[in-house]
Amino acid sequence: FIPTRGVEVFASPKTRGYRSRCRFAIARDDDGRLRYALFENGEVVMLGADDADEDGDTDVFPWASEPIARVMPVLLERLNDADDANARVATGLSAVGFLASRGGEVVVTLWNRIDTAGDHSGDASNAGDAEWNDDANALLSSLRAVGVVGVVTRRRRKKLCASNGVDHVWEPMTVPGADVPGDEESAPPATVPGDVGTARSPSRHLRYRQVEGAFSNPNGDVAEVTARWLHDVCEDILLARNEKGSGQGLTPVSTLPWLLELYCGNGNHAVSLSPRFGRVTAVEIDPRLVAAANENFAVNGVANAAVTASPAETFARIRTGIGCRGLLDGDDVDQSLADAWRDGTVLVDPPRAGLDADTLALVAGFRSVLYIACDCASLARDLESTLGKTHEVRRMALFDHFPGSRFCEVVVWLEAKA
């Protein structure tokens, strides 16, 4: 399934300091002080001398992004402070999480085994919640100088935010295209980590709401490289279709008809690629990400996209009774919609398990397929069983999201065989 041009490989621009999502266990050292720790082979191991930075600080994680690395020692100092409020926030603390943006914002999450009132029975009382909120606001105020915009606690299936209500960060991204006029709120672009052949278009500056506790890409630089590669592929798809259409006497078009994105997350690909399509349909199961996608469409001026709250397999099953044309049955079918479906592009970014049978059947009916795989074995299985028979691999790229590990992401562009 390797295309004739070979596999394109994109290294992470950073081999350290790239992770924008981190979670650490909390342990106590021999002096009773709280320390960050990792789970290794079933054991909790405190960050130690091997992880020390140039100043000798052992409570650092070399792979954490700069905003997280800036917050880590300051937060630990506050949690170890003898002040009563900090002591209450740290009560029953079992883990700490960080969500950061390349723009410098950080949300801190505290996992507590018990509530602030010391009640082991489950949900905290209203008084306990109010007390926690006062303490969390004090902690937040002390951390604002290092970029913290929100403090969240999770305990016994309950989530509380400090009273400012912030449980998200705004991630900036630069992709090919033009900014939407009047969108002055767009965050300034982060440093572009590299071009992958997208000089055909000017730059478009986007920002994405990324929510604590929901999925987001932990390597923002590589996510941006991937987005630019997808733009380049969509340009190739359009050029190939216009070239074929010119031989049939058809008028060249400037956009592709329709993009369906399954497992769309917060809509980052849908937002990025929306100017290249007449319309965009995004599908996502997590209601938090559905809400984020809707907000990201609005903030970035996307008017031709809509998100559906549904598992991908359910969405697919409804539409694949007789293949993808099942959506087009009935007397009220708009011919333009029918043509868009048959000539549509589908983008899938499934979990490690890959595509289920119903979703795979739906995807196989599309003319163009963009498949983002976080597990190469699942991609190989889906190519071997179905997509390799119905489609031809035109381009394949490997993106190193986790430098120094065996994990990578592979993205393929497939075109339906004649």
Side-chain angles (χ1 to χ4, degrees):
F1 300 112
I2 302 299
T4 55
R5 66 186 293 173
V7 178
E8 304 161 64
V9 178
F10 299 95
S12 174
K14 300 173 184 174
T15 57
R16 290 191 168 201
Y18 63 86
R19 286 196 64 105
S20 58
R21 282 192 292 116
C22 298
R23 178 176 173 175
F24 303 96
I26 293 295
R28 289 189 181 273
D29 62 17
D30 293 340
D31 296 324
R33 294 183 63 79
L34 299 177
R35 297 279 304 278
Y36 296 117
L38 297 174
F39 295 100
E40 295 184 3
N41 299 320
E43 297 183 1
V44 176
V45 179
M46 286 184 286
L47 298 183
D50 291 342
D51 303 306
D53 63 12
E54 58 187 14
D55 297 322
D57 189 347
T58 58
D59 289 302
V60 296
F61 185 62
W63 295 273
S65 67
E66 190 278 331
I68 293 176
R70 184 175 63 239
V71 172
M72 286 178 66
V74 181
L75 173 62
L76 204 60
E77 180 182 348
R78 298 291 186 274
L79 293 175
N80 277 309
D81 194 294
D83 178 85
D84 288 343
N86 289 336
R88 286 192 298 267
V89 170
T91 298
L93 191 63
S94 61
V96 172
F98 300 91
L99 172 66
S101 73
R102 291 182 297 164
E105 295 178 324
V106 180
V107 169
V108 172
T109 303
L110 308 174
W111 276 267
N112 296 86
R113 296 190 187 94
I114 58 175
D115 62 55
T116 53
D119 178 9
H120 293 254
S121 63
D123 292 340
S125 65
N126 291 332
D129 290 352
E131 186 178 65
W132 178 88
N133 186 65
D134 291 342
D135 297 343
N137 282 328
L139 179 63
L140 175 59
S141 295
S142 70
L143 296 173
R144 285 193 181 280
V146 289
V148 174
V149 295
V151 173
V152 174
T153 188
R154 290 182 174 274
R155 57 179 188 267
R156 302 288 181 118
R157 300 178 298 279
K158 188 171 186 176
K159 173 182 174 179
L160 293 175
C161 298
S163 58
N164 70 345
V166 174
D167 65 349
H168 62 275
V169 297
W170 288 98
E171 172 71 3
M173 183 173 288
T174 302
V175 299
D179 285 327
V180 176
D183 185 18
E184 291 84 3
E185 291 189 5
S186 288
T191 302
V192 177
D195 203 332
V196 291
T198 54
R200 292 177 265 190
S201 302
S203 293
R204 178 171 166 233
H205 303 141
L206 306 173
R207 60 185 188 133
Y208 297 121
R209 180 187 178 113
Q210 299 193 157
V211 183
E212 182 275 340
F215 177 81
S216 60
N217 196 305
N219 190 330
D221 289 341
V222 177
E224 185 166 311
V225 173
T226 304
R228 296 173 73 84
W229 187 87
L230 289 171
H231 271 269
D232 202 51
V233 168
C234 288
E235 186 77 6
D236 284 348
I237 294 173
L238 183 64
L239 290 173
R241 292 194 184 188
N242 279 335
E243 182 177 345
K244 183 176 181 179
S246 65
Q248 300 171 344
L250 301 177
T251 302
V253 296
S254 59
T255 59
L256 296 164
W258 182 43
L259 173 67
L260 170 65
E261 182 182 2
L262 303 177
Y263 317 94
C264 76
N266 66 3
N268 58 321
H269 292 312
V271 168
S272 172
L273 297 174
S274 59
R276 296 191 176 273
F277 293 87
R279 68 188 187 95
V280 178
T281 302
V283 179
E284 171 57 44
I285 187 174
D286 187 334
R288 297 167 299 180
L289 292 173
V290 170
N294 278 318
E295 184 165 3
N296 290 334
F297 292 161
V299 166
N300 293 289
V302 176
N304 64 334
V307 60
T308 296
S310 171
E313 59 270 26
T314 301
F315 180 90
R317 196 174 300 125
I318 294 171
R319 291 158 175 82
T320 54
I322 54 173
C324 65
R325 286 175 176 78
L327 180 68
L328 308 177
D329 291 342
D331 297 331
D332 59 347
V333 171
D334 185 321
Q335 187 57 45
S336 64
L337 173 59
D339 291 341
W341 183 277
R342 283 188 283 266
D343 290 335
T345 301
V346 62
L347 189 159
V348 295
D349 188 356
R352 292 192 180 278
L355 300 177
D356 62 275
D358 292 309
T359 305
L360 190 57
L362 175 69
V363 169
F366 279 79
R367 182 171 174 179
S368 302
V369 178
L370 301 171
Y371 191 135
I372 301 175
C374 55
D375 188 320
C376 299
S378 296
L379 171 62
R381 181 202 64 212
D382 292 342
L383 288 172
E384 183 70 31
S385 69
T386 305
L387 294 177
K389 299 173 183 177
T390 58
H391 290 68
E392 173 191 358
V393 177
R394 295 287 184 87
R395 289 179 67 176
M396 178 181 290
L398 184 150
F399 298 90
D400 187 10
H401 283 265
F402 300 98
S405 77
R406 62 185 179 85
F407 297 105
C408 63
E409 194 167 81
V410 176
V411 187
V412 294
W413 162 34
L414 304 105
E415 281 291 304
K417 295 179 179 179

